Amino acid sequence: MGSLGRSGVLAVSIVGFCLGLLLGAIPVVGEMLASRGVSTDLDRDGKYELIVGGVVANGRGLIRVGQIHNRSVRLVSELPVEVEVRDVATGDIDGDGMPEILTIGAGHLRAYRIEMGEPVALTGRRLRTAWTDRLSSLTVSDGVWIASTDYRVERDQDVGETKITGWVATDGQIEQMWSIDIDAHVGDLVLVSKGDDVFLVLESGTGDEGGDIRVYNVTGHPRQVWTHRLTDGVRCRALEVTEGNRVAIQPYGGSGSLWQVKGGGDLRRERSLQLSPLGSIVPRVGPDGHPGTLGITAEPMWAVRTISF
C-alpha cells in the first residue's frame, strides 16, 4: 500500500473487551467526521486494507486507507475527493482485476481508482436529492451490483420518501437497473446473494421510530418477499453481510442479531450478537479481512471491534 502516497503512521493497540470482544480506536484527525467503512484487499497484495470515508470542514470528502497489522491500524493514505463521502463500498467495475472505491454523498454516486497515490474519478451518477447516505455493492457474474439511497421530505409532509436505486457497474460504467420507492427513511441496506437470486435487505422507519426489516428479490423486477418488525420501534441503522451470506443487524443502543437468508429470501434468526453500544455503531468493516468478523466505525472516533461468528 505504500504506493498510495500521503503516508503516516497511527498505531492503535487492541485491548480485551467483554467476552472476547476486541476494541481499538483511531481518533478523527483534522476536523474529519468519520462516516462508513469497508475492508478489502485494495491492491491485491494479500493484505486487507481498512477504507473509511468522511467529510471535512469545507464539505469536501476524504477517503482514509489503513492497514491492519499485528493488532494495530497503520494509516497509509489520505485521499481528498471533490464531494463529501457518506458511505463507501468496493468492486471491480472495469474488469482489470483491481477493486475500485465506490462512494456516495451530496447527491453523487462515484467510483474512484487509485493512480500514483491519487484518487481518479472513473465514473459516476447524479442522484435525485443531496440526502444520500447509504450504499451497498455485490459482485455477480455480470459485474458489480450497487444499491444506493436518496431521501426527500416534501414541505407539506411529515414523512419522507426514500428512493432505492439498483445499478450495475461493468466496463467502467454505471447503469441503472431498477428502483424502489419506500414511504419511510431507510436506515441501512445490503445486497446479498442466495443461489441464483440477489436479495436487498433493508431497515426502514421514521425519525427515531422504526426497526422494520424488509427483503426484496431484485434478481429481475423488484418484489418484496419478506418483512418483519425487529424491534419495538427502535431504529436499526446498521446491517452487514457476513460469512455464509448471513446478515448482521444492529439496533441503535441495543444488542445485535445474526440472521440466515433462506432460499425464498425470508430471514431466520440464528443468534444474538452481544455488542455494547458505542456512539453511532455501524458494522460495515471487516477489520482483519477475514470472513466471520464484524467491524464497527463510530463517531466521534473510528473504533474497531471484532467478534467471531
Side-chain angles (χ1 to χ4, degrees), residues 138 140 142 145-147 164-167 177-180 189-193 196-202 215-225 264-265:
L138 177 69
V140 295
D142 61 345
W145 284 21
I146 302 166
I164 302 173
T165 306
W167 314 84
M177 296 189 296
W178 47 261
S179 65
I180 302 171
L189 78 173
V190 292
L191 290 167
V192 57
S193 61
D196 295 330
D197 291 318
V198 175
F199 296 99
L200 173 73
V201 184
L202 63 89
V215 181
Y216 292 81
N217 187 322
V218 295
T219 308
H221 182 75
R223 56 186 177 88
Q224 183 172 306
V225 295

PDB file of all heavy atoms in Angstrom, residues 138 140 142 145-147 164-167 177-180 189-193 196-202 215-225 264-265:
ATOM      1  N   LEU A 138     -22.258  -5.656  -4.516  1.00  0.00           N
ATOM      2  CA  LEU A 138     -22.179  -7.109  -4.573  1.00  0.00           C
ATOM      3  C   LEU A 138     -21.628  -7.504  -5.934  1.00  0.00           C
ATOM      4  O   LEU A 138     -22.160  -7.096  -6.967  1.00  0.00           O
ATOM      5  CB  LEU A 138     -23.571  -7.740  -4.367  1.00  0.00           C
ATOM      6  CG  LEU A 138     -23.659  -9.260  -4.483  1.00  0.00           C
ATOM      7  CD1 LEU A 138     -22.946  -9.931  -3.309  1.00  0.00           C
ATOM      8  CD2 LEU A 138     -25.126  -9.695  -4.536  1.00  0.00           C
ATOM      9  N   VAL A 140     -21.289  -9.947  -8.906  1.00  0.00           N
ATOM     10  CA  VAL A 140     -22.046 -11.041  -9.518  1.00  0.00           C
ATOM     11  C   VAL A 140     -21.412 -11.352 -10.871  1.00  0.00           C
ATOM     12  O   VAL A 140     -20.416 -10.746 -11.261  1.00  0.00           O
ATOM     13  CB  VAL A 140     -23.535 -10.669  -9.661  1.00  0.00           C
ATOM     14  CG1 VAL A 140     -24.187 -10.481  -8.296  1.00  0.00           C
ATOM     15  CG2 VAL A 140     -23.709  -9.405 -10.486  1.00  0.00           C
ATOM     16  N   ASP A 142     -22.270 -10.737 -13.915  1.00  0.00           N
ATOM     17  CA  ASP A 142     -22.282  -9.736 -14.984  1.00  0.00           C
ATOM     18  C   ASP A 142     -21.711  -8.390 -14.551  1.00  0.00           C
ATOM     19  O   ASP A 142     -21.905  -7.383 -15.228  1.00  0.00           O
ATOM     20  CB  ASP A 142     -23.697  -9.550 -15.526  1.00  0.00           C
ATOM     21  CG  ASP A 142     -24.683  -9.062 -14.480  1.00  0.00           C
ATOM     22  OD1 ASP A 142     -24.354  -9.139 -13.280  1.00  0.00           O
ATOM     23  OD2 ASP A 142     -25.783  -8.611 -14.859  1.00  0.00           O
ATOM     24  N   TRP A 145     -23.084  -5.201  -8.759  1.00  0.00           N
ATOM     25  CA  TRP A 145     -24.384  -4.605  -8.486  1.00  0.00           C
ATOM     26  C   TRP A 145     -24.249  -3.644  -7.318  1.00  0.00           C
ATOM     27  O   TRP A 145     -23.539  -3.918  -6.342  1.00  0.00           O
ATOM     28  CB  TRP A 145     -25.424  -5.677  -8.175  1.00  0.00           C
ATOM     29  CG  TRP A 145     -25.902  -6.408  -9.394  1.00  0.00           C
ATOM     30  CD1 TRP A 145     -25.255  -6.508 -10.591  1.00  0.00           C
ATOM     31  CD2 TRP A 145     -27.124  -7.131  -9.531  1.00  0.00           C
ATOM     32  NE1 TRP A 145     -26.002  -7.270 -11.472  1.00  0.00           N
ATOM     33  CE2 TRP A 145     -27.156  -7.664 -10.848  1.00  0.00           C
ATOM     34  CE3 TRP A 145     -28.190  -7.396  -8.691  1.00  0.00           C
ATOM     35  CZ2 TRP A 145     -28.213  -8.425 -11.321  1.00  0.00           C
ATOM     36  CZ3 TRP A 145     -29.252  -8.165  -9.151  1.00  0.00           C
ATOM     37  CH2 TRP A 145     -29.272  -8.673 -10.456  1.00  0.00           C
ATOM     38  N   ILE A 146     -24.939  -2.518  -7.416  1.00  0.00           N
ATOM     39  CA  ILE A 146     -24.869  -1.464  -6.420  1.00  0.00           C
ATOM     40  C   ILE A 146     -26.285  -1.058  -6.044  1.00  0.00           C
ATOM     41  O   ILE A 146     -27.166  -0.973  -6.910  1.00  0.00           O
ATOM     42  CB  ILE A 146     -24.106  -0.240  -6.963  1.00  0.00           C
ATOM     43  CG1 ILE A 146     -22.691  -0.632  -7.410  1.00  0.00           C
ATOM     44  CG2 ILE A 146     -24.045   0.886  -5.936  1.00  0.00           C
ATOM     45  CD1 ILE A 146     -22.008   0.436  -8.250  1.00  0.00           C
ATOM     46  N   ALA A 147     -26.521  -0.811  -4.759  1.00  0.00           N
ATOM     47  CA  ALA A 147     -27.785  -0.244  -4.302  1.00  0.00           C
ATOM     48  C   ALA A 147     -27.477   1.042  -3.553  1.00  0.00           C
ATOM     49  O   ALA A 147     -26.577   1.074  -2.702  1.00  0.00           O
ATOM     50  CB  ALA A 147     -28.532  -1.220  -3.403  1.00  0.00           C
ATOM     51  N   ILE A 164     -34.640   3.880  -3.532  1.00  0.00           N
ATOM     52  CA  ILE A 164     -33.510   2.971  -3.616  1.00  0.00           C
ATOM     53  C   ILE A 164     -33.302   2.637  -5.088  1.00  0.00           C
ATOM     54  O   ILE A 164     -34.227   2.194  -5.764  1.00  0.00           O
ATOM     55  CB  ILE A 164     -33.758   1.687  -2.808  1.00  0.00           C
ATOM     56  CG1 ILE A 164     -34.036   2.027  -1.348  1.00  0.00           C
ATOM     57  CG2 ILE A 164     -32.562   0.741  -2.911  1.00  0.00           C
ATOM     58  CD1 ILE A 164     -34.456   0.829  -0.518  1.00  0.00           C
ATOM     59  N   THR A 165     -32.105   2.862  -5.565  1.00  0.00           N
ATOM     60  CA  THR A 165     -31.801   2.612  -6.966  1.00  0.00           C
ATOM     61  C   THR A 165     -30.807   1.475  -7.079  1.00  0.00           C
ATOM     62  O   THR A 165     -29.805   1.438  -6.355  1.00  0.00           O
ATOM     63  CB  THR A 165     -31.224   3.861  -7.645  1.00  0.00           C
ATOM     64  OG1 THR A 165     -32.119   4.962  -7.447  1.00  0.00           O
ATOM     65  CG2 THR A 165     -31.036   3.633  -9.137  1.00  0.00           C
ATOM     66  N   GLY A 166     -31.099   0.545  -7.967  1.00  0.00           N
ATOM     67  CA  GLY A 166     -30.194  -0.544  -8.250  1.00  0.00           C
ATOM     68  C   GLY A 166     -29.417  -0.261  -9.529  1.00  0.00           C
ATOM     69  O   GLY A 166     -29.991   0.146 -10.544  1.00  0.00           O
ATOM     70  N   TRP A 167     -28.087  -0.452  -9.456  1.00  0.00           N
ATOM     71  CA  TRP A 167     -27.203  -0.167 -10.575  1.00  0.00           C
ATOM     72  C   TRP A 167     -26.374  -1.401 -10.899  1.00  0.00           C
ATOM     73  O   TRP A 167     -26.142  -2.243 -10.032  1.00  0.00           O
ATOM     74  CB  TRP A 167     -26.251   0.971 -10.238  1.00  0.00           C
ATOM     75  CG  TRP A 167     -26.847   2.174  -9.591  1.00  0.00           C
ATOM     76  CD1 TRP A 167     -27.098   2.356  -8.257  1.00  0.00           C
ATOM     77  CD2 TRP A 167     -27.283   3.374 -10.248  1.00  0.00           C
ATOM     78  NE1 TRP A 167     -27.650   3.601  -8.038  1.00  0.00           N
ATOM     79  CE2 TRP A 167     -27.775   4.248  -9.238  1.00  0.00           C
ATOM     80  CE3 TRP A 167     -27.279   3.801 -11.580  1.00  0.00           C
ATOM     81  CZ2 TRP A 167     -28.271   5.513  -9.530  1.00  0.00           C
ATOM     82  CZ3 TRP A 167     -27.776   5.061 -11.862  1.00  0.00           C
ATOM     83  CH2 TRP A 167     -28.261   5.912 -10.852  1.00  0.00           C
ATOM     84  N   MET A 177     -30.592  -0.218 -13.179  1.00  0.00           N
ATOM     85  CA  MET A 177     -31.372  -1.418 -13.473  1.00  0.00           C
ATOM     86  C   MET A 177     -32.810  -1.289 -12.993  1.00  0.00           C
ATOM     87  O   MET A 177     -33.749  -1.655 -13.697  1.00  0.00           O
ATOM     88  CB  MET A 177     -30.726  -2.638 -12.802  1.00  0.00           C
ATOM     89  CG  MET A 177     -29.348  -3.005 -13.287  1.00  0.00           C
ATOM     90  SD  MET A 177     -28.819  -4.610 -12.597  1.00  0.00           S
ATOM     91  CE  MET A 177     -28.753  -4.227 -10.839  1.00  0.00           C
ATOM     92  N   TRP A 178     -33.002  -0.814 -11.770  1.00  0.00           N
ATOM     93  CA  TRP A 178     -34.332  -0.759 -11.177  1.00  0.00           C
ATOM     94  C   TRP A 178     -34.360   0.295 -10.075  1.00  0.00           C
ATOM     95  O   TRP A 178     -33.318   0.837  -9.696  1.00  0.00           O
ATOM     96  CB  TRP A 178     -34.752  -2.114 -10.593  1.00  0.00           C
ATOM     97  CG  TRP A 178     -33.702  -2.785  -9.740  1.00  0.00           C
ATOM     98  CD1 TRP A 178     -32.851  -3.777 -10.123  1.00  0.00           C
ATOM     99  CD2 TRP A 178     -33.376  -2.499  -8.371  1.00  0.00           C
ATOM    100  NE1 TRP A 178     -32.012  -4.130  -9.094  1.00  0.00           N
ATOM    101  CE2 TRP A 178     -32.318  -3.364  -7.999  1.00  0.00           C
ATOM    102  CE3 TRP A 178     -33.862  -1.618  -7.422  1.00  0.00           C
ATOM    103  CZ2 TRP A 178     -31.753  -3.355  -6.723  1.00  0.00           C
ATOM    104  CZ3 TRP A 178     -33.300  -1.593  -6.141  1.00  0.00           C
ATOM    105  CH2 TRP A 178     -32.275  -2.457  -5.804  1.00  0.00           C
ATOM    106  N   SER A 179     -35.542   0.603  -9.570  1.00  0.00           N
ATOM    107  CA  SER A 179     -35.678   1.495  -8.423  1.00  0.00           C
ATOM    108  C   SER A 179     -36.887   1.077  -7.597  1.00  0.00           C
ATOM    109  O   SER A 179     -37.832   0.463  -8.108  1.00  0.00           O
ATOM    110  CB  SER A 179     -35.810   2.958  -8.861  1.00  0.00           C
ATOM    111  OG  SER A 179     -37.008   3.158  -9.583  1.00  0.00           O
ATOM    112  N   ILE A 180     -36.833   1.401  -6.311  1.00  0.00           N
ATOM    113  CA  ILE A 180     -37.906   1.092  -5.371  1.00  0.00           C
ATOM    114  C   ILE A 180     -38.185   2.358  -4.569  1.00  0.00           C
ATOM    115  O   ILE A 180     -37.256   2.987  -4.045  1.00  0.00           O
ATOM    116  CB  ILE A 180     -37.516  -0.044  -4.404  1.00  0.00           C
ATOM    117  CG1 ILE A 180     -37.143  -1.311  -5.167  1.00  0.00           C
ATOM    118  CG2 ILE A 180     -38.643  -0.327  -3.416  1.00  0.00           C
ATOM    119  CD1 ILE A 180     -36.535  -2.400  -4.282  1.00  0.00           C
ATOM    120  N   LEU A 189     -28.937  -0.708   4.270  1.00  0.00           N
ATOM    121  CA  LEU A 189     -29.333  -1.735   3.319  1.00  0.00           C
ATOM    122  C   LEU A 189     -28.111  -2.531   2.908  1.00  0.00           C
ATOM    123  O   LEU A 189     -26.983  -2.029   2.956  1.00  0.00           O
ATOM    124  CB  LEU A 189     -30.019  -1.126   2.096  1.00  0.00           C
ATOM    125  CG  LEU A 189     -29.169  -0.470   0.989  1.00  0.00           C
ATOM    126  CD1 LEU A 189     -30.057  -0.106  -0.185  1.00  0.00           C
ATOM    127  CD2 LEU A 189     -28.426   0.757   1.464  1.00  0.00           C
ATOM    128  N   VAL A 190     -28.343  -3.780   2.503  1.00  0.00           N
ATOM    129  CA  VAL A 190     -27.278  -4.633   1.988  1.00  0.00           C
ATOM    130  C   VAL A 190     -27.828  -5.467   0.835  1.00  0.00           C
ATOM    131  O   VAL A 190     -29.016  -5.802   0.797  1.00  0.00           O
ATOM    132  CB  VAL A 190     -26.697  -5.583   3.065  1.00  0.00           C
ATOM    133  CG1 VAL A 190     -25.931  -4.805   4.118  1.00  0.00           C
ATOM    134  CG2 VAL A 190     -27.779  -6.439   3.701  1.00  0.00           C
ATOM    135  N   LEU A 191     -26.949  -5.782  -0.105  1.00  0.00           N
ATOM    136  CA  LEU A 191     -27.239  -6.749  -1.157  1.00  0.00           C
ATOM    137  C   LEU A 191     -26.594  -8.067  -0.773  1.00  0.00           C
ATOM    138  O   LEU A 191     -25.436  -8.104  -0.351  1.00  0.00           O
ATOM    139  CB  LEU A 191     -26.679  -6.272  -2.491  1.00  0.00           C
ATOM    140  CG  LEU A 191     -27.360  -5.063  -3.139  1.00  0.00           C
ATOM    141  CD1 LEU A 191     -26.507  -4.523  -4.274  1.00  0.00           C
ATOM    142  CD2 LEU A 191     -28.755  -5.423  -3.627  1.00  0.00           C
ATOM    143  N   VAL A 192     -27.330  -9.160  -0.926  1.00  0.00           N
ATOM    144  CA  VAL A 192     -26.814 -10.475  -0.554  1.00  0.00           C
ATOM    145  C   VAL A 192     -27.306 -11.489  -1.575  1.00  0.00           C
ATOM    146  O   VAL A 192     -28.444 -11.412  -2.045  1.00  0.00           O
ATOM    147  CB  VAL A 192     -27.259 -10.857   0.882  1.00  0.00           C
ATOM    148  CG1 VAL A 192     -28.755 -10.833   1.025  1.00  0.00           C
ATOM    149  CG2 VAL A 192     -26.686 -12.203   1.292  1.00  0.00           C
ATOM    150  N   SER A 193     -26.456 -12.427  -1.949  1.00  0.00           N
ATOM    151  CA  SER A 193     -26.839 -13.451  -2.915  1.00  0.00           C
ATOM    152  C   SER A 193     -27.192 -14.744  -2.199  1.00  0.00           C
ATOM    153  O   SER A 193     -26.653 -15.068  -1.144  1.00  0.00           O
ATOM    154  CB  SER A 193     -25.700 -13.701  -3.901  1.00  0.00           C
ATOM    155  OG  SER A 193     -24.538 -14.167  -3.231  1.00  0.00           O
ATOM    156  N   ASP A 196     -29.137 -18.511  -7.135  1.00  0.00           N
ATOM    157  CA  ASP A 196     -29.128 -17.679  -8.333  1.00  0.00           C
ATOM    158  C   ASP A 196     -29.800 -16.329  -8.122  1.00  0.00           C
ATOM    159  O   ASP A 196     -29.891 -15.526  -9.066  1.00  0.00           O
ATOM    160  CB  ASP A 196     -29.839 -18.412  -9.483  1.00  0.00           C
ATOM    161  CG  ASP A 196     -29.098 -19.663  -9.920  1.00  0.00           C
ATOM    162  OD1 ASP A 196     -27.858 -19.682  -9.792  1.00  0.00           O
ATOM    163  OD2 ASP A 196     -29.771 -20.617 -10.365  1.00  0.00           O
ATOM    164  N   ASP A 197     -30.272 -16.063  -6.919  1.00  0.00           N
ATOM    165  CA  ASP A 197     -31.026 -14.845  -6.652  1.00  0.00           C
ATOM    166  C   ASP A 197     -30.199 -13.832  -5.881  1.00  0.00           C
ATOM    167  O   ASP A 197     -29.286 -14.178  -5.123  1.00  0.00           O
ATOM    168  CB  ASP A 197     -32.295 -15.162  -5.859  1.00  0.00           C
ATOM    169  CG  ASP A 197     -33.318 -15.938  -6.672  1.00  0.00           C
ATOM    170  OD1 ASP A 197     -33.504 -15.597  -7.858  1.00  0.00           O
ATOM    171  OD2 ASP A 197     -33.920 -16.875  -6.134  1.00  0.00           O
ATOM    172  N   VAL A 198     -30.542 -12.556  -6.079  1.00  0.00           N
ATOM    173  CA  VAL A 198     -29.963 -11.462  -5.314  1.00  0.00           C
ATOM    174  C   VAL A 198     -31.081 -10.802  -4.524  1.00  0.00           C
ATOM    175  O   VAL A 198     -32.136 -10.469  -5.075  1.00  0.00           O
ATOM    176  CB  VAL A 198     -29.275 -10.429  -6.227  1.00  0.00           C
ATOM    177  CG1 VAL A 198     -28.779  -9.237  -5.409  1.00  0.00           C
ATOM    178  CG2 VAL A 198     -28.120 -11.069  -6.984  1.00  0.00           C
ATOM    179  N   PHE A 199     -30.838 -10.607  -3.235  1.00  0.00           N
ATOM    180  CA  PHE A 199     -31.834 -10.011  -2.354  1.00  0.00           C
ATOM    181  C   PHE A 199     -31.312  -8.700  -1.793  1.00  0.00           C
ATOM    182  O   PHE A 199     -30.113  -8.541  -1.532  1.00  0.00           O
ATOM    183  CB  PHE A 199     -32.191 -10.957  -1.204  1.00  0.00           C
ATOM    184  CG  PHE A 199     -32.834 -12.234  -1.646  1.00  0.00           C
ATOM    185  CD1 PHE A 199     -32.089 -13.395  -1.761  1.00  0.00           C
ATOM    186  CD2 PHE A 199     -34.186 -12.279  -1.960  1.00  0.00           C
ATOM    187  CE1 PHE A 199     -32.669 -14.577  -2.180  1.00  0.00           C
ATOM    188  CE2 PHE A 199     -34.786 -13.455  -2.380  1.00  0.00           C
ATOM    189  CZ  PHE A 199     -34.022 -14.613  -2.489  1.00  0.00           C
ATOM    190  N   LEU A 200     -32.222  -7.754  -1.640  1.00  0.00           N
ATOM    191  CA  LEU A 200     -31.957  -6.494  -0.975  1.00  0.00           C
ATOM    192  C   LEU A 200     -32.605  -6.544   0.408  1.00  0.00           C
ATOM    193  O   LEU A 200     -33.811  -6.738   0.521  1.00  0.00           O
ATOM    194  CB  LEU A 200     -32.533  -5.333  -1.781  1.00  0.00           C
ATOM    195  CG  LEU A 200     -32.480  -3.956  -1.130  1.00  0.00           C
ATOM    196  CD1 LEU A 200     -31.048  -3.423  -1.120  1.00  0.00           C
ATOM    197  CD2 LEU A 200     -33.401  -2.975  -1.853  1.00  0.00           C
ATOM    198  N   VAL A 201     -31.800  -6.394   1.452  1.00  0.00           N
ATOM    199  CA  VAL A 201     -32.299  -6.379   2.825  1.00  0.00           C
ATOM    200  C   VAL A 201     -32.136  -4.959   3.353  1.00  0.00           C
ATOM    201  O   VAL A 201     -31.050  -4.372   3.254  1.00  0.00           O
ATOM    202  CB  VAL A 201     -31.534  -7.371   3.719  1.00  0.00           C
ATOM    203  CG1 VAL A 201     -32.134  -7.402   5.124  1.00  0.00           C
ATOM    204  CG2 VAL A 201     -31.534  -8.766   3.109  1.00  0.00           C
ATOM    205  N   LEU A 202     -33.193  -4.400   3.932  1.00  0.00           N
ATOM    206  CA  LEU A 202     -33.132  -3.017   4.393  1.00  0.00           C
ATOM    207  C   LEU A 202     -33.913  -2.835   5.683  1.00  0.00           C
ATOM    208  O   LEU A 202     -34.778  -3.630   6.032  1.00  0.00           O
ATOM    209  CB  LEU A 202     -33.639  -2.061   3.321  1.00  0.00           C
ATOM    210  CG  LEU A 202     -35.102  -2.171   2.879  1.00  0.00           C
ATOM    211  CD1 LEU A 202     -36.032  -1.312   3.726  1.00  0.00           C
ATOM    212  CD2 LEU A 202     -35.248  -1.804   1.403  1.00  0.00           C
ATOM    213  N   VAL A 215     -37.271  -7.407   2.895  1.00  0.00           N
ATOM    214  CA  VAL A 215     -36.411  -8.112   1.957  1.00  0.00           C
ATOM    215  C   VAL A 215     -37.083  -8.088   0.583  1.00  0.00           C
ATOM    216  O   VAL A 215     -38.275  -8.409   0.458  1.00  0.00           O
ATOM    217  CB  VAL A 215     -36.148  -9.567   2.379  1.00  0.00           C
ATOM    218  CG1 VAL A 215     -35.230 -10.264   1.375  1.00  0.00           C
ATOM    219  CG2 VAL A 215     -35.542  -9.621   3.784  1.00  0.00           C
ATOM    220  N   TYR A 216     -36.310  -7.705  -0.436  1.00  0.00           N
ATOM    221  CA  TYR A 216     -36.788  -7.687  -1.806  1.00  0.00           C
ATOM    222  C   TYR A 216     -35.934  -8.627  -2.650  1.00  0.00           C
ATOM    223  O   TYR A 216     -34.701  -8.649  -2.509  1.00  0.00           O
ATOM    224  CB  TYR A 216     -36.698  -6.279  -2.409  1.00  0.00           C
ATOM    225  CG  TYR A 216     -37.642  -5.274  -1.811  1.00  0.00           C
ATOM    226  CD1 TYR A 216     -37.332  -4.637  -0.614  1.00  0.00           C
ATOM    227  CD2 TYR A 216     -38.830  -4.940  -2.450  1.00  0.00           C
ATOM    228  CE1 TYR A 216     -38.190  -3.702  -0.064  1.00  0.00           C
ATOM    229  CE2 TYR A 216     -39.700  -4.008  -1.909  1.00  0.00           C
ATOM    230  CZ  TYR A 216     -39.372  -3.390  -0.714  1.00  0.00           C
ATOM    231  OH  TYR A 216     -40.218  -2.464  -0.164  1.00  0.00           O
ATOM    232  N   ASN A 217     -36.576  -9.380  -3.513  1.00  0.00           N
ATOM    233  CA  ASN A 217     -35.858 -10.118  -4.543  1.00  0.00           C
ATOM    234  C   ASN A 217     -35.661  -9.153  -5.706  1.00  0.00           C
ATOM    235  O   ASN A 217     -36.622  -8.698  -6.321  1.00  0.00           O
ATOM    236  CB  ASN A 217     -36.643 -11.346  -4.993  1.00  0.00           C
ATOM    237  CG  ASN A 217     -35.854 -12.233  -5.950  1.00  0.00           C
ATOM    238  OD1 ASN A 217     -35.122 -11.750  -6.804  1.00  0.00           O
ATOM    239  ND2 ASN A 217     -36.002 -13.540  -5.809  1.00  0.00           N
ATOM    240  N   VAL A 218     -34.406  -8.831  -6.011  1.00  0.00           N
ATOM    241  CA  VAL A 218     -34.116  -7.842  -7.053  1.00  0.00           C
ATOM    242  C   VAL A 218     -33.419  -8.482  -8.247  1.00  0.00           C
ATOM    243  O   VAL A 218     -32.798  -7.789  -9.064  1.00  0.00           O
ATOM    244  CB  VAL A 218     -33.268  -6.682  -6.494  1.00  0.00           C
ATOM    245  CG1 VAL A 218     -34.053  -5.898  -5.458  1.00  0.00           C
ATOM    246  CG2 VAL A 218     -31.947  -7.183  -5.897  1.00  0.00           C
ATOM    247  N   THR A 219     -33.537  -9.813  -8.366  1.00  0.00           N
ATOM    248  CA  THR A 219     -32.916 -10.502  -9.489  1.00  0.00           C
ATOM    249  C   THR A 219     -33.494 -10.014 -10.811  1.00  0.00           C
ATOM    250  O   THR A 219     -32.782  -9.818 -11.794  1.00  0.00           O
ATOM    251  CB  THR A 219     -33.100 -12.017  -9.359  1.00  0.00           C
ATOM    252  OG1 THR A 219     -32.667 -12.428  -8.063  1.00  0.00           O
ATOM    253  CG2 THR A 219     -32.311 -12.760 -10.427  1.00  0.00           C
ATOM    254  N   GLY A 220     -34.794  -9.820 -10.841  1.00  0.00           N
ATOM    255  CA  GLY A 220     -35.458  -9.245 -12.003  1.00  0.00           C
ATOM    256  C   GLY A 220     -36.156  -7.972 -11.576  1.00  0.00           C
ATOM    257  O   GLY A 220     -35.530  -7.064 -11.035  1.00  0.00           O
ATOM    258  N   HIS A 221     -37.463  -7.888 -11.813  1.00  0.00           N
ATOM    259  CA  HIS A 221     -38.225  -6.749 -11.314  1.00  0.00           C
ATOM    260  C   HIS A 221     -38.339  -6.868  -9.802  1.00  0.00           C
ATOM    261  O   HIS A 221     -38.723  -7.921  -9.281  1.00  0.00           O
ATOM    262  CB  HIS A 221     -39.622  -6.725 -11.943  1.00  0.00           C
ATOM    263  CG  HIS A 221     -40.435  -5.549 -11.510  1.00  0.00           C
ATOM    264  ND1 HIS A 221     -40.216  -4.287 -11.990  1.00  0.00           N
ATOM    265  CD2 HIS A 221     -41.470  -5.452 -10.618  1.00  0.00           C
ATOM    266  CE1 HIS A 221     -41.078  -3.461 -11.438  1.00  0.00           C
ATOM    267  NE2 HIS A 221     -41.843  -4.136 -10.603  1.00  0.00           N
ATOM    268  N   PRO A 222     -38.005  -5.842  -9.026  1.00  0.00           N
ATOM    269  CA  PRO A 222     -38.007  -5.957  -7.560  1.00  0.00           C
ATOM    270  C   PRO A 222     -39.383  -6.309  -7.005  1.00  0.00           C
ATOM    271  O   PRO A 222     -40.397  -5.744  -7.417  1.00  0.00           O
ATOM    272  CB  PRO A 222     -37.580  -4.558  -7.101  1.00  0.00           C
ATOM    273  CG  PRO A 222     -36.869  -3.959  -8.263  1.00  0.00           C
ATOM    274  CD  PRO A 222     -37.547  -4.521  -9.478  1.00  0.00           C
ATOM    275  N   ARG A 223     -39.403  -7.241  -6.080  1.00  0.00           N
ATOM    276  CA  ARG A 223     -40.638  -7.597  -5.390  1.00  0.00           C
ATOM    277  C   ARG A 223     -40.317  -7.935  -3.942  1.00  0.00           C
ATOM    278  O   ARG A 223     -39.336  -8.597  -3.642  1.00  0.00           O
ATOM    279  CB  ARG A 223     -41.332  -8.780  -6.072  1.00  0.00           C
ATOM    280  CG  ARG A 223     -40.477 -10.018  -6.223  1.00  0.00           C
ATOM    281  CD  ARG A 223     -41.175 -11.087  -7.032  1.00  0.00           C
ATOM    282  NE  ARG A 223     -40.330 -12.260  -7.246  1.00  0.00           N
ATOM    283  CZ  ARG A 223     -40.261 -13.289  -6.411  1.00  0.00           C
ATOM    284  NH1 ARG A 223     -41.005 -13.296  -5.306  1.00  0.00           N
ATOM    285  NH2 ARG A 223     -39.465 -14.308  -6.661  1.00  0.00           N
ATOM    286  N   GLN A 224     -41.165  -7.439  -3.056  1.00  0.00           N
ATOM    287  CA  GLN A 224     -40.958  -7.691  -1.636  1.00  0.00           C
ATOM    288  C   GLN A 224     -41.346  -9.127  -1.304  1.00  0.00           C
ATOM    289  O   GLN A 224     -42.410  -9.600  -1.699  1.00  0.00           O
ATOM    290  CB  GLN A 224     -41.786  -6.720  -0.788  1.00  0.00           C
ATOM    291  CG  GLN A 224     -41.559  -6.870   0.707  1.00  0.00           C
ATOM    292  CD  GLN A 224     -42.237  -5.770   1.506  1.00  0.00           C
ATOM    293  OE1 GLN A 224     -42.012  -4.589   1.246  1.00  0.00           O
ATOM    294  NE2 GLN A 224     -43.069  -6.158   2.459  1.00  0.00           N
ATOM    295  N   VAL A 225     -40.467  -9.826  -0.584  1.00  0.00           N
ATOM    296  CA  VAL A 225     -40.712 -11.237  -0.288  1.00  0.00           C
ATOM    297  C   VAL A 225     -40.798 -11.512   1.204  1.00  0.00           C
ATOM    298  O   VAL A 225     -41.214 -12.610   1.605  1.00  0.00           O
ATOM    299  CB  VAL A 225     -39.608 -12.132  -0.904  1.00  0.00           C
ATOM    300  CG1 VAL A 225     -39.651 -12.056  -2.422  1.00  0.00           C
ATOM    301  CG2 VAL A 225     -38.224 -11.761  -0.395  1.00  0.00           C
ATOM    302  N   GLY A 264     -36.054 -18.498  -0.224  1.00  0.00           N
ATOM    303  CA  GLY A 264     -37.084 -17.602  -0.731  1.00  0.00           C
ATOM    304  C   GLY A 264     -36.861 -16.151  -0.374  1.00  0.00           C
ATOM    305  O   GLY A 264     -37.667 -15.296  -0.743  1.00  0.00           O
ATOM    306  N   GLY A 265     -35.788 -15.878   0.380  1.00  0.00           N
ATOM    307  CA  GLY A 265     -35.499 -14.512   0.777  1.00  0.00           C
ATOM    308  C   GLY A 265     -35.928 -14.179   2.187  1.00  0.00           C
ATOM    309  O   GLY A 265     -35.605 -13.099   2.694  1.00  0.00           O
TER     310      GLY A 265
END
